[in-house]
Amino acid sequence: MISFAVDPLPNPRRVFMLGATGTIGRATVHALLARGHEVVCFVRPRNDAMTIPGATVRTGDVTDPASLARDGFRGEPFDAVVSCMASRTGAPRDAQAIDYQAHVNVLEAARQAGVGQFVLLSAICVQKPLLAFQQAKLTFEARLMGAGLTYSIVRPTAFFKSLSGQVARVQQGRPYLVFGDGRLTACKPISDADLGDYLAGCLDDESRWNKVLPIGGPGPAITPLDQAEHLFALLGRKPTIRRVPVALLDVIIGGLDVARRIVPSLADKAELARIGRYYATESMLVLDPATGRYDADATPSTGNETLFDYYAELIRGEAAAERGDHAVF
Ligand SMILES: NC(=O)c1ccc[n+]([C@@H]2O[C@H](COP(=O)([O-])OP(=O)(O)OC[C@H]3O[C@@H](n4cnc5c(N)ncnc54)[C@H](OP(=O)(O)O)[C@@H]3O)[C@@H](O)[C@H]2O)c1
């Protein structure tokens, strides 16, 4: 349940919203409305039955500039674009089409509509870009920075949904799986509502303008082993943790890379395996370019909802787990 105790602002804006049907997009629309902004959501035609109380929903195709102008902006004035839109698969073609090209289309349409501000949901992992979707995001980030609009590029750490995929299996009595010793990576998880609120706040908080903003949730950085131990503690059970060698992912990636030469459709599966390996071995924290190390202290925090409170809600049945896009388990 998302609720905000934010007083509506004296200067509400007219916001063109993308990705309103996604995890963070939904939370961001709530946060924008709670602040008193007028929100027009542009969604795919397959979502045409969707209603968002307090917001306007329009349908069209972000990959088609004509549809964006005709069905989305409709020649009307808007103050800001907020985008939580992202490729659902992370596969190279989809990432290029949505994370890059569709955003370029939106930026062009926004400029023609006189929009002065653009808030973009990106990802902290683009600071070490090894994957196709990260390159697509980075290329658009650069384009946005050079476009002359006031921008806020928000690069969050890990979402709760991406760290909750094992709650149900552990509840069923199965072991928690970790890569290596469970301490290969760390992150400062951020809740949907805290991130939505942070994104909405970018419209008014001048300290977030024309900046790239890495952001995590409250509390110290946690490892997969920490997650496992807290989960078992909440369930009142002795931890049973199974260690999975990262080399297993390398074998899978190697096999898929060979197989895709014969069956090209396996290329996306190989990229998904690479995405899995990336998250198994790279922390979602600010990367210090001087040392090449991830730095928890340099990773800013916002909000007050913790992953372990969320685990407790899942266990009590007060929240429903959503699968992460690139969940490995
Ligand atoms: N998972 C993590 O831990 C994590 C951490 C940091 C950053 N991120 C970043 O956060 C973003 C994902 O956020 P999320 O989990 O809220 O995303 P999500 O739930 O997957 O939602 C994606 C949104 O983009 C829309 N979209 C995708 N393809 C589209 C298309 N062809 N046309 C129109 N709309 C389209 C979706 O609309 P439909 O409902 O119509 O598909 C949906 O509204 C990604 O950029 C990811 O890299 C993720």
Side-chain angles (χ1 to χ4, degrees), residues 1 26 161 164 192 310 313-315 317-323:
M1 182 65 177
R26 289 194 301 269
K161 69 176 175 182
S164 308
D192 305 348
Y310 178 66
E313 284 174 27
L314 286 175
I315 289 166
E318 294 167 8
E322 197 179 339
R323 280 298 271 165

Side-chain angles (χ1 to χ4, degrees), residues 5 18 38 53 83 92 95 113 123 128 176 193 200 214 284 306:
L18 293 147
E38 182 188 345
S83 178
K128 187 169 180 182
Y176 195 99
M284 296 299 118
T306 71

Side-chain angles (χ1 to χ4, degrees), residues 277-315:
R277 191 193 190 287
Y278 187 99
Y279 291 127
T281 53
E282 302 289 343
S283 289
M284 296 299 118
L285 296 170
V286 166
L287 186 65
D288 182 338
T291 62
R293 295 225 172 114
Y294 289 104
D295 185 347
D297 294 335
T299 308
S301 292
T302 190
N304 47 39
E305 296 182 349
T306 71
L307 180 69
F308 299 140
D309 290 341
Y310 178 66
Y311 280 178
E313 284 174 27
L314 286 175
I315 289 166

Side-chain angles (χ1 to χ4, degrees), residues 19-25 44 46-47 62-63 84-88 98-99 121-124 133 137 156-159 161-162 322 325:
T21 53
T23 306
I24 304 305
R44 297 198 236 203
R46 68 185 194 184
N47 302 309
V62 284
T63 66
C84 296
M85 180 175 70
S87 125
R88 284 240 177 226
I98 301 305
D99 296 80
L121 170 64
S122 183
I124 201 164
F133 85 87
K137 281 182 188 299
T157 59
F159 299 167
K161 69 176 175 182
S162 301
E322 197 179 339
D325 319 339

Side-chain angles (χ1 to χ4, degrees), residues 67-91:
S67 173
L68 260 171
R70 182 188 61 236
D71 309 318
F73 287 91
R74 296 187 184 174
E76 299 166 7
F78 284 88
D79 301 302
V81 167
V82 176
S83 178
C84 296
M85 180 175 70
S87 125
R88 284 240 177 226
T89 63

Side-chain angles (χ1 to χ4, degrees), residues 58-219:
R58 294 179 180 171
T59 57
D61 182 2
V62 284
T63 66
D64 175 6
S67 173
L68 260 171
R70 182 188 61 236
D71 309 318
F73 287 91
R74 296 187 184 174
E76 299 166 7
F78 284 88
D79 301 302
V81 167
V82 176
S83 178
C84 296
M85 180 175 70
S87 125
R88 284 240 177 226
T89 63
R93 199 172 315 138
D94 199 22
Q96 182 64 19
I98 301 305
D99 296 80
Y100 177 69
Q101 189 57 53
H103 275 106
V104 170
N105 299 344
V106 171
L107 182 57
E108 235 3 86
R111 282 211 291 215
Q112 282 167 21
V115 168
Q117 192 170 9
F118 201 122
V119 178
L120 176 71
L121 170 64
S122 183
I124 201 164
C125 61
V126 304
Q127 64 191 331
K128 187 169 180 182
L130 303 177
L131 302 164
F133 85 87
Q134 296 164 338
Q135 295 291 356
K137 281 182 188 299
L138 261 186
T139 317
F140 179 68
E141 282 190 6
R143 184 104 176 211
L144 177 57
M145 285 185 235
L149 283 73
T150 300
Y151 67 84
S152 299
I153 295 171
V154 177
R155 291 180 174 175
T157 59
F159 299 167
F160 286 7
K161 69 176 175 182
S162 301
L163 303 172
S164 308
Q166 297 198 63
V167 173
R169 57 172 282 138
V170 169
Q171 280 181 296
Q172 290 157 10
R174 294 158 73 194
Y176 195 99
L177 307 178
V178 296
F179 284 106
D181 64 358
R183 294 193 194 94
L184 297 179
T185 65
C187 64
K188 288 172 120 177
I190 186 164
S191 80
D192 305 348
D194 284 339
L195 180 53
D197 195 43
Y198 186 84
L199 285 155
C202 289
L203 290 182
D204 292 293
D205 184 345
E206 290 189 31
S207 71
R208 299 182 199 164
W209 291 0
N210 299 324
K211 298 235 173 77
V212 172
L213 301 155
I215 192 73

